[in-house]
Amino acid sequence: MRAVVCVPGGTEMADVPDPVAGPGQVIIEVTACGLCGSDVHAIEHGQTEPGQILGHEFAGRIAEVGPGVTGWQAGQAVAVNPLGACQACRECAAGLPFRCAALPNVGLSAPGAYAEYVAVQAGQLVRLPDGLPVEQGAHAEPLAVALQAVQQADVGPGDAVLVHGVGSIGLNAIMALRLAGVDHIVGAGRSPGRRAAAAAVGADAVIDTRETSLRDYVAGTGRQFQAVLDCSGAIGLFAESLDVLAGGGTFVEVALATEAPAVSLFQLVQGGLRMAGTCAYSYASYAAAVGHIAAGRVPADAIISERVGLDDTPSALARLRAPGELVRILSLPGQRTQPAQPARADGSTLAAQ
Ligand SMILES: [Zn+2]
Ligand SMILES: [Zn+2]
């Protein structure tokens, strides 16, 4: 089959052996796989092995059912939870399957979905309803990340929440906050295209933090935040957030941030504030994400900037190193590259195009 494989400094197309369905596995013919920022980062920083196949935000159809698999048939449309997990250990019980050592993760420790076919455990499949474009199942992974992050924030109607960083995860966080009933969502981002996308998926206000500091914004509106979700990893954001969080508020770190901030713990204590780290999602959050997409409750399509064929996936991964106006790119192994959909600067619904 054709696949995008890692090579030193990037990725390239290659012919590789077709995957074989082991016991308990199925082969998925990949319909769509989202290009994830964590893949872009891993490639850019040399954290990949030569020949490795990345890609973990995907959906497709079952092409083949392996030995011992019951309840699944060839042709069924599925979204695939890439996290292999035993669902029995302490970490799994705590809703942290990414910490489970039992099974490999598709697109990380096992071959992923920047390819025509991929082998996965049947236990990681979530059925997509008939009539739903299979491509939409590829949105479940980033939405699940966002649902899990919003759960940590513990917010709802009457609350104001800041989402800092409006790339794919930040935009999904805005959708998840809408689902949670939060009535004042502020997005913060630097690229005009991404800010337009934030408005399109439900942000009530969108700010450029190079022009307006969070402290100035809150001073101007007179409204503090019940939660700040950091989807950017921006240096200094945690310290600044302590000044803009309302009493009892929560700072949620969603990005793979590496800062070691010097902050006032007294401020944390005095404000009754909480700080939470969140990574990936529980199996329940992943299934919930598929449910929201299937029911049409989230405008996940609205943030797609481009759909590229497999052959153009290596160059798309390279372009995402400096995304500019790009928001989300889908790799469609069975199709050719389609014309780009630039985000609308006026914030009108991108999906309407
Ligand atoms: Zn991802
Ligand atoms: Zn486990």
Side-chain angles (χ1 to χ4, degrees), residues 85-93 100:
C86 72
Q87 307 209 59
C89 72
R90 200 182 180 86
E91 309 276 27
C92 284
C100 176

Side-chain angles (χ1 to χ4, degrees), residues 119-212:
V120 304
Q121 295 291 326
Q124 290 167 237
L125 306 177
V126 177
R127 182 88 202 264
L128 295 174
D130 295 337
L132 183 78
V134 179
E135 172 193 298
Q136 294 206 11
H139 303 319
E141 206 271 352
L143 181 60
V145 171
L147 291 173
Q148 189 87 4
V150 168
Q151 224 173 55
Q152 297 290 322
D154 192 22
V155 288
D159 290 338
V161 178
L162 174 78
V163 176
H164 196 276
V166 286
S168 177
I169 295 297
L171 293 167
N172 275 277
I174 291 169
M175 297 182 226
L177 289 164
R178 272 276 163 260
L179 288 170
V182 170
D183 56 20
H184 192 70
I185 303 169
V186 180
R190 293 183 163 189
S191 115
R194 290 182 170 208
R195 290 202 304 276
V201 298
D204 299 288
V206 190
I207 58 176
D208 182 345
T209 45
R210 287 169 305 184
E211 288 171 3
T212 313

